[in-house]
Amino acid sequence: MPRVLVIVVTFNAMHWIDRCLTSCRNSSLKPDVLVVDNCSLDGTDGYIEENYSFVRLIRNEENTGFGAANNQGFRIALEEGYDYVYLLNQDAWLLESTLEKMTAAFEKTRRYAVLSPVQTNAKGRLDAQFSKKCKKHLKKGEPISEVPFVMAAHWLISRKALMTVGGFSPAFDLYGEDDNWIDRAHFFGLKAGVVNDAEAVHDRAERGKAPRGADKEVRKACKDGARQRRLRLKCISTVVKLSNPGHSFAARLVVEPLELLGMSVKNFSGVPAKFIPQLLRRSRELRRLRKQSKTQGAFLD
């Protein structure tokens, strides 16, 4: 049986952590589990230590971000000879057969850097973002469907792919890391795919929603916060494009500020326009990291 290291990055994960870690324990293919806690404030780390003795726990003294924390796990996986790493969000969980089906599919192909199961919500329907990004690419009757992108809530990465593509780029603290990693996999001639007969859950439904029974002002604040978050994600997409080793950096540096201006006009918001100076200030750093990302095993030294 292949050796799999499940990596879970946690920050204030008490709402989900039991379902997440219990699903690893109940998996038909038994993985080793590493939790990298990014300085949770709700007691997540202590709860895991007390209740999940099979979990290896790393406590970071600060919130290092999603990518950097996963890179800690990547280094351990390579040093200790694991065949695969499985990135599992704290608000996600496996089905009993997920890992077994995923690794069996990976064993039959060398073209892929990363595979995902079909990602559903807690009610068993397709996760909204998974549906938006992947549904039209799914091909029934085939073991694996190639997709241009799939979210890193559930990612199975082979050792060979990890040694080739490397870790997550420090250009990203939260969001955009997975887009960039897949862009870099494509640069190396590798693909992303979905295993059609494997499923797993991503329970993002309650994030950012107003509590049940909340008054009108609280609901409005949550709605406005969600809108601002969507705009920030669109701003981060410009960093993703600049960081893509398959794109012309100089051309993107001209185009992306114009796209940000267009976003501001379209959305009647100053958020994208205010992002332009930050993007330009970071241009030298982003160029350097983009160049580094073209080397095998980048960001795992």
Side-chain angles (χ1 to χ4, degrees):
M1 295 286 280
R3 295 184 66 217
V4 180
L5 179 66
V6 172
I7 303 171
V8 184
V9 175
T10 56
F11 179 72
N12 296 346
M14 287 298 294
H15 181 74
W16 302 280
I17 200 61
D18 282 323
R19 284 172 292 186
C20 178
L21 295 181
T22 299
S23 75
C24 296
R25 182 168 56 197
N26 294 338
S27 172
S28 59
L29 188 158
K30 302 300 181 187
D32 291 333
V33 182
L34 170 69
V35 170
V36 183
D37 186 76
N38 263 338
C39 201
S40 288
L41 305 175
D42 66 348
T44 294
D45 53 337
Y47 181 82
I48 292 171
E49 184 176 50
E50 182 176 349
N51 292 279
Y52 293 94
S53 58
F54 66 91
V55 171
R56 187 191 321 193
L57 177 65
I58 294 176
R59 287 184 167 100
N60 286 337
E61 294 183 357
E62 60 182 357
N63 191 338
T64 62
F66 178 82
N70 271 301
N71 284 354
Q72 290 175 258
F74 287 158
R75 294 184 188 101
I76 289 172
L78 291 178
E79 290 168 2
E80 299 185 5
Y82 284 90
D83 301 304
Y84 297 97
V85 293
Y86 192 95
L87 304 191
L88 179 62
N89 262 29
Q90 65 180 22
D91 59 352
W93 60 89
L94 305 166
L95 302 187
E96 183 179 347
S97 63
T98 303
L99 285 181
E100 188 171 355
K101 290 180 177 179
M102 296 281 292
T103 54
F106 227 140
E107 293 289 308
K108 296 176 183 178
T109 180
R110 296 184 180 180
R111 299 183 300 153
Y112 289 88
V114 60
L115 293 179
S116 166
V118 174
Q119 297 183 26
T120 71
N121 61 26
K123 295 180 179 180
R125 304 187 185 97
L126 284 185
D127 170 75
Q129 285 299 310
F130 180 87
S131 180
K132 179 180 178 180
K133 299 287 186 179
C134 301
K135 184 178 179 180
K136 64 182 178 182
H137 301 286
L138 300 183
K139 297 179 180 178
K140 293 182 179 180
E142 295 188 9
I144 299 174
S145 294
E146 182 182 349
V147 294
F149 172 78
V150 62
M151 300 76 64
H154 289 277
W155 268 18
L156 183 68
I157 305 172
S158 70
R159 178 181 182 85
K160 182 178 179 181
L162 188 58
M163 293 175 67
T164 301
V165 182
F168 288 115
S169 170
F172 306 90
D173 293 324
L174 182 64
Y175 302 119
E177 303 97 333
D178 46 0
D179 300 82
N180 175 254
W181 198 93
I182 289 180
D183 284 341
R184 289 157 49 208
H186 291 156
F187 176 78
F188 285 105
L190 298 170
K191 300 178 180 182
V194 172
V195 179
N196 292 312
D197 70 341
E199 290 188 6
V201 179
H202 187 192
D203 182 26
R204 70 170 95 220
E206 296 183 19
R207 295 191 304 185
K209 283 192 174 182
R212 184 175 297 177
D215 61 28
K216 184 177 180 180
E217 289 186 4
V218 172
R219 292 198 303 272
K220 183 179 184 300
C222 288
K223 184 177 180 180
D224 290 344
R227 180 173 178 270
Q228 293 301 311
R229 176 176 170 272
R230 286 194 296 271
L231 284 175
R232 287 194 296 271
L233 288 176
K234 289 182 178 180
C235 291
I236 292 171
S237 73
T238 64
V239 181
V240 172
K241 294 172 188 175
L242 272 173
S243 301
N244 186 340
H247 286 173
S248 165
F249 186 87
R252 298 316 305 184
L253 193 58
V254 173
V255 170
E256 296 313 317
L258 297 176
E259 289 196 358
L260 288 166
L261 285 174
M263 287 182 208
S264 278
V265 173
K266 181 179 179 181
N267 294 280
F268 302 100
S269 170
V271 171
K274 291 177 182 178
F275 192 77
I276 295 173
Q278 177 184 337
L279 187 70
L280 296 177
R281 284 195 301 270
R282 294 189 65 197
S283 62
R284 183 175 296 181
E285 171 207 2
L286 294 176
R287 184 191 292 269
R288 174 180 58 81
L289 293 173
R290 176 182 173 277
K291 181 179 179 180
Q292 186 178 348
S293 75
K294 294 182 178 182
T295 61
Q296 293 200 4
F299 312 121
L300 290 179
D301 294 337

